[in-house]
Amino acid sequence: MAATEEPEIIESLLKDAENKPVPIRLMLYPDALLIQKQEWISVQLDEEDEVFLNMVREVEIKREPGAGFGLCVKGGAEHRLPVLISRIIKNEAAERCGQLLVGDAILRVNGVNVESCTHDEVVSMLKEVKEDSVSLSVRHFRPASYFLNKGNETRDGPHFAKQESSQLASLPRLEKEWMTALTIPLLYARVSRYIYGTDKLREDSFDIVGVDGSKSGPMYFTEKTTMLTWYHKISAKTQSLLSQMVKLITLTTFLSFFSIFKLIAKTSF
């Protein structure tokens, strides 16, 4: 990929397995197309944050009489995961305590070790608490944070518990960044607007298949004119690369024959 040239960039859409549109960004270089998707990336942690996230924290959640504790959990031994806090409900007990994060693993409930318990066992233990408070031993489980935060996003990033202590106030948030999901080489690539297996043209999308088997899938644009502009841009790049390759092959073939001819001429009587 030509790294010295600035790419042309535009945002588009792909459809996921559930046929829902997913934002993507196209970066067009002279010899490759990069397809990027947005992912949650953890902000760099300092030493104090690392210590805090790795420590076991003792947390007491106090609730109003008759109310719940205001949290949801996922995971469990049946998934080969600890039971993880997957959601902290706004304005309820777990958020008000100010000491929990989405992604915290529950290690003990009222002093009882639950590290080898299933999801349902831990849920039952929490439901069976008769008092208006429960003590949890938790430790943050960062490998699951991205997955647990999907669906809990706000404009400022994934939802974290209300942060009141100085340690919690310094915790990093996840930030969305464009990450390259696929690189398609344009030499010998096929750019097409046709619907697979038909002779019908797509009105709002096209796809690219690389010689290495990489496939973009249909890329959708909100405006047909924009779609056509990018379709022609990418097609022109592939044609230009193909023309350059043909010229190179022709020149190489000519030089090879010329070298052979000179060799024959030298050895002739």
Side-chain angles (χ1 to χ4, degrees):
M1 184 171 64
T4 56
E5 294 192 31
E6 290 294 321
E8 296 183 68
I9 299 173
I10 193 171
E11 292 185 19
S12 177
L13 295 170
L14 277 178
K15 291 187 178 178
D16 62 15
E18 298 177 353
N19 209 34
K20 295 179 180 178
V22 177
I24 60 170
R25 185 167 74 171
L26 306 182
M27 300 183 70
L28 181 59
Y29 287 88
D31 56 356
L33 178 73
L34 271 60
I35 299 177
Q36 297 187 320
K37 295 182 179 180
Q38 286 185 312
E39 295 184 8
W40 289 109
I41 304 298
S42 179
V43 177
Q44 182 66 38
L45 300 175
D46 59 28
E47 186 175 345
E48 185 178 349
D49 293 330
E50 288 283 1
V51 170
F52 178 79
L53 289 181
N54 290 326
M55 68 187 291
V56 175
R57 306 180 331 262
E58 303 297 331
V59 178
E60 184 178 18
I61 306 175
K62 295 181 179 181
R63 62 182 174 183
E64 299 293 330
F69 290 112
L71 55 84
C72 300
V73 297
K74 289 183 179 180
E78 68 270 35
H79 301 291
R80 297 183 180 179
L81 286 170
V83 173
L84 301 159
I85 295 176
S86 60
R87 185 183 174 204
I88 296 171
I89 301 172
K90 190 172 179 62
N91 298 325
E92 294 198 15
E95 186 187 54
R96 288 196 300 271
C97 83
Q99 300 178 58
L100 293 171
L101 298 171
V102 167
D104 280 348
I106 300 176
L107 309 179
R108 290 185 292 276
V109 177
N110 284 336
V112 178
N113 190 303
V114 297
E115 292 182 71
S116 60
C117 290
T118 65
H119 172 272
D120 290 347
E121 287 171 339
V122 174
V123 169
S124 295
M125 290 180 68
L126 291 171
K127 286 183 176 180
E128 289 170 4
V129 174
K130 304 300 182 184
E131 295 79 13
D132 291 332
S133 67
V134 65
S135 296
L136 302 180
S137 299
V138 300
R139 179 168 54 209
H140 198 62
F141 189 73
R142 275 187 284 170
S145 291
Y146 166 72
F147 302 100
L148 293 177
N149 275 300
K150 289 180 71 174
N152 295 328
E153 300 167 8
T154 67
R155 288 183 303 172
D156 299 322
H159 174 71
F160 286 87
K162 186 178 180 182
Q163 300 175 356
E164 295 177 353
S165 72
S166 58
Q167 284 178 310
L168 285 171
S170 67
L171 276 176
R173 289 180 178 272
L174 299 179
E175 295 181 351
K176 263 189 173 180
E177 290 189 9
W178 288 106
M179 304 294 291
T180 299
L182 182 65
T183 300
I184 301 178
L186 295 181
L187 180 61
Y188 302 126
R190 177 185 65 80
V191 187
S192 176
R193 290 178 55 202
Y194 285 101
I195 299 172
Y196 296 121
T198 74
D199 58 355
K200 296 180 180 179
L201 290 174
R202 301 187 188 96
E203 292 296 320
D204 56 357
S205 65
F206 62 87
D207 71 289
I208 308 173
V209 179
V211 70
D212 60 352
S214 53
K215 299 178 181 179
S216 68
M219 297 178 291
Y220 294 84
F221 295 79
T222 54
E223 296 181 2
K224 184 175 180 178
T225 52
T226 305
M227 182 273 293
L228 289 173
T229 298
W230 272 77
Y231 171 78
H232 291 303
K233 277 179 186 286
I234 297 172
S235 296
K237 297 277 189 186
T238 61
Q239 289 298 319
S240 175
L241 288 169
L242 184 59
S243 297
Q244 292 175 35
M245 182 57 66
V246 170
K247 290 177 181 178
L248 180 61
I249 292 172
T250 301
L251 178 61
T252 303
T253 303
F254 171 78
L255 292 175
S256 297
F257 276 114
F258 183 71
S259 298
I260 294 171
F261 177 77
K262 285 179 65 178
L263 182 61
I264 293 173
K266 285 182 179 180
T267 56
S268 298
F269 293 99

